[in-house]
Amino acid sequence: MLVMAVANQKGGVGKTTCCVNLSAELGRMGVKSLVIDADPQGNSSSALGIDRSDLERSVYDVIAGDLPASEAVRETEWENVFVIPATLDLAGAEVELAGAMSRESRLRRKMAGLTGYDIALIDCPPSLGLLTVNALVASDGILVPVQCEYFALEGLGQLMRTMDLVKSFLREDLGLSGLVMTMYDGRTRLSREVVEEVRKQFGDLVLDTVIPRNVKLSEAPSFGRPIGYYDPASSGAEAFRELATEVTRKWLAPRP
């Protein structure tokens, strides 16, 4: 199973949107996908149709408790999509784990028994605290959503430094897998310039697929549905189908 952290400490860049809709489109392609909601806001869980008020087990019980990750998995309505949901309890996990042994690798250890999935996407909170570090240590690579706005590159340097620290002390094979440009508006010069600048700095690490700014993408979570099920004809749904195809080709296709 490929484990990918979807991370960027800058809020509002599309991490949850990427996790939810990429997993749904991969699922429609026959890729068995698991979303691990590591954000106390629990937006990935809600956007996948999970009622967070009726959860007996969540990612909090995995990270802060003794529950194996496999026992917290919930099946969703969407084809081949599963989720380990989050509740607000997760907000206290960082404080509770402050003095715990090997606190940075708890998620990775609890995921050891997870089998039967092709990919796991970890939705990280908009910070570089212990929850995000746990996600990075548990991952094979990092997918970074980058908003097509003026401050797009703000904070990326800190994320890179955190990644380097994790590589040095906790997970030496961790690497930056790719960046995906989000909230693109082709009508504005700013969006085009931001994409150009990011491609100039990161080269082939920037995925070809660009996620547009799309009203239907914003609406879909309030209905608890991924965009491909909410409005499959929208530009947002089309972009995530393209992203799923690109992710499959880059990281999930069998090696010769």
Side-chain angles (χ1 to χ4, degrees):
M1 176 178 70
L2 175 68
V3 182
M4 193 78 66
V6 182
N8 187 333
Q9 80 269 28
K10 191 173 187 296
V13 299
K15 292 185 294 295
T16 297
T17 299
C18 284
C19 282
V20 168
N21 295 299
L22 177 56
S23 65
E25 292 307 319
L26 288 170
R28 287 159 70 110
M29 294 169 60
V31 177
K32 200 168 182 182
S33 306
L34 174 66
V35 173
I36 300 175
D37 193 349
D39 187 342
Q41 297 177 88
N43 291 335
S44 279
S45 307
S46 299
L48 286 168
I50 300 295
D51 181 1
R52 296 191 298 125
S53 66
D54 186 33
L55 289 175
E56 294 182 0
R57 298 171 173 179
S58 71
V59 74
Y60 168 81
D61 302 294
V62 175
I63 294 179
D66 297 318
L67 190 71
S70 58
E71 295 184 21
V73 175
R74 291 279 298 264
E75 188 173 359
T76 73
E77 296 179 51
W78 323 116
E79 185 179 4
N80 290 317
V81 180
F82 300 79
V83 62
I84 298 180
T87 64
L88 280 173
D89 291 340
L90 189 59
E94 296 198 14
V95 176
E96 293 178 37
L97 294 176
M101 292 287 291
S102 303
R103 60 187 181 274
E104 299 91 352
S105 56
R106 289 181 69 92
L107 181 59
R108 184 183 186 186
R109 295 198 306 274
K110 299 294 186 60
M111 288 175 62
L114 277 175
T115 58
Y117 305 98
D118 299 306
I119 187 171
L121 297 170
I122 307 178
D123 187 9
C124 297
S127 68
L128 293 176
L130 191 54
L131 292 174
T132 296
V133 171
N134 261 271
L136 298 183
V137 173
S139 299
D140 302 305
I142 308 172
L143 178 63
V144 183
V146 180
Q147 187 179 7
C148 294
E149 297 287 354
Y150 183 75
F151 292 112
L153 296 174
E154 186 182 70
L156 272 182
Q158 182 60 46
L159 177 62
M160 297 300 107
R161 287 190 289 274
T162 300
M163 184 187 75
D164 288 341
L165 286 172
V166 171
K167 285 180 64 174
S168 298
F169 298 103
L170 299 165
R171 183 75 190 262
E172 62 180 18
D173 59 343
L174 178 67
L176 178 61
S177 297
L179 293 85
V180 57
M181 305 303 301
T182 63
M183 304 181 190
Y184 178 79
D185 186 346
R187 299 168 301 178
T188 68
R189 187 175 68 178
L190 177 61
S191 280
R192 296 191 296 271
E193 289 177 347
V194 169
V195 171
E196 183 180 337
E197 180 62 27
V198 174
R199 291 194 189 282
K200 186 186 302 181
Q201 290 200 31
F202 291 92
D204 292 340
L205 283 172
V206 184
L207 301 184
D208 294 332
T209 306
V210 175
I211 308 300
R213 187 178 291 279
N214 179 245
V215 172
K216 295 297 183 180
L217 268 177
S218 301
E219 290 177 356
S222 64
F223 292 90
R225 302 173 71 86
I227 186 63
Y229 291 89
Y230 176 67
D231 189 348
S234 66
S235 61
E238 181 181 351
F240 275 104
R241 285 192 291 271
E242 292 175 2
L243 182 62
T245 300
E246 186 173 4
V247 166
T248 301
R249 186 179 69 248
K250 278 179 171 289
W251 301 318
L252 297 172
R255 300 299 181 187

